[in-house]
Amino acid sequence: MTQHIQPISPLRQRLIDDLVLRKYSPNTQSTYIRAVKKLQGYLGHSPATATAEELRKFQLHLVNEGVSRITLNATITALRFFFQTTLERPDVVTKIATVPVPRRLPIILSQEEAARLIAATGNLKYRAALSIAYGAGLRINEIASLKVSDIDSKRMTLRVDQGKGRKDRYAMLSPVLLDTLHAWWHFAHAKRLMLKGGWLFPGQNPINHITTRQLSRVCLAAARDAGIDKRVTMHILRHSFATHLLEAKVDVRVIQVLLGHKKLETTALYVQVATKVLREVISPLDTLKPPV
């Protein structure tokens, strides 16, 4: 049976070329293309001829549909690129603007909850992945794309290759985490689940690494099995890593480096959820002397 492949329009190809030229990631390229397709579906005609008023109405349409602020901002950013760079029509995007996104405090696991979560993962592969999230503070995509060669047992570090912002960094590798990774490595090689020098966490086909979706499912299942009623994600383990380090009096600037944060203010957010730190602060009310 012959499959008919729909050709890419010259306009979309130009958008793709502009994204590739600027070395945008595949995920960003997909997001931008989807945004332009959604605009075209709303307009019913080529987005190349869209007016500023049509774009304003499109944003209003997205708001009325209940699109989240994050999705709305991503769509607007994509359309700005499309009209300013690809079409060279910057005047068209003057009536659309991003909206503020409220900053919410992250959910944090206690150390006892983190221990229960990791222990509830019976599969050694997944236990090792969750241990990295909590023991080294890596993002879910950084864990998925780790290679065996990224483990440096002599320097006790994990190399994060091209993390967020396309930056390399080193994360901490604790003795307990190293033991867990060694156990997984020996098991995987004995079962021929891992290619020599390949991914630390291979997918069903060891040529590919595990997907972030699978890691998310594993984390949710482990939280359920551990009886944790919080909505646990892999990123919450990263939040818990940073918070527990702060409560252990590790300098916030060191935590910033370990997390790969660009701005110190991003890391400083954990001060608000580090309850042990807050409890140690003496209120000025407690220092008042009674009036004579």
Side-chain angles (χ1 to χ4, degrees), residues 230-269:
K230 298 174 182 176
R231 190 180 181 279
V232 182
T233 65
M234 294 289 285
H235 210 69
I236 284 179
L237 289 173
R238 173 176 160 88
H239 289 321
S240 301
F241 162 82
T243 303
H244 295 163
L245 283 183
L246 195 59
E247 291 179 339
K249 302 190 184 304
V250 176
D251 191 289
V252 68
R253 289 166 293 188
V254 174
I255 300 174
Q256 176 191 4
V257 173
L258 292 174
L259 292 174
H261 283 163
K262 184 178 181 181
K263 297 180 180 179
L264 182 60
E265 64 187 51
T266 305
T267 315
L269 176 68

Side-chain angles (χ1 to χ4, degrees), residues 12 92 123 161 222 233 274:
R12 182 180 299 181
V92 180
N123 186 298
D161 187 35
T233 65

Side-chain angles (χ1 to χ4, degrees), residues 57-94:
K57 290 181 178 179
F58 176 61
Q59 179 170 356
L60 184 61
H61 165 73
L62 293 178
V63 172
N64 291 334
E65 273 195 335
V67 170
S68 71
R69 291 170 181 253
I70 293 176
T71 301
L72 181 62
N73 287 345
T75 302
I76 291 172
T77 300
L79 294 180
R80 280 179 176 168
F81 180 91
F82 176 66
F83 282 97
Q84 292 175 347
T85 303
T86 301
L87 295 179
E88 297 181 348
R89 297 181 60 200
D91 56 300
V92 180
V93 290
T94 55

Side-chain angles (χ1 to χ4, degrees), residues 54-188:
E54 285 178 323
L55 284 183
R56 190 188 73 85
K57 290 181 178 179
F58 176 61
Q59 179 170 356
L60 184 61
H61 165 73
L62 293 178
V63 172
N64 291 334
E65 273 195 335
V67 170
S68 71
R69 291 170 181 253
I70 293 176
T71 301
L72 181 62
N73 287 345
T75 302
I76 291 172
T77 300
L79 294 180
R80 280 179 176 168
F81 180 91
F82 176 66
F83 282 97
Q84 292 175 347
T85 303
T86 301
L87 295 179
E88 297 181 348
R89 297 181 60 200
D91 56 300
V92 180
V93 290
T94 55
K95 292 188 177 183
I96 59 174
T98 55
V99 296
V101 178
R103 171 169 283 188
R104 301 185 184 278
L105 292 178
I107 297 172
I108 303 299
L109 298 179
S110 67
Q111 289 184 300
E112 186 268 339
E113 286 173 328
R116 279 165 44 206
L117 178 75
I118 294 172
T121 311
N123 186 298
L124 185 55
K125 173 182 180 180
Y126 299 140
R127 191 186 310 153
L130 265 62
S131 295
I132 291 176
Y134 176 69
L138 269 61
R139 300 178 179 90
I140 187 171
N141 60 308
E142 295 171 345
I143 296 171
S145 56
L146 279 174
K147 294 182 178 179
V148 175
S149 57
D150 292 327
I151 302 172
D152 190 337
S153 57
K154 291 182 179 179
R155 298 179 62 200
M156 296 301 288
T157 59
L158 287 171
R159 175 182 169 83
V160 179
D161 187 35
Q162 294 292 283
K164 188 174 181 180
R166 294 187 175 275
K167 294 181 179 179
D168 296 342
R169 76 176 191 281
Y170 285 100
M172 63 184 293
L173 176 60
S174 72
V176 172
L177 179 55
L178 179 60
D179 289 343
T180 302
L181 296 181
H182 269 155
W184 158 239
W185 183 86
H186 284 295
F187 176 83

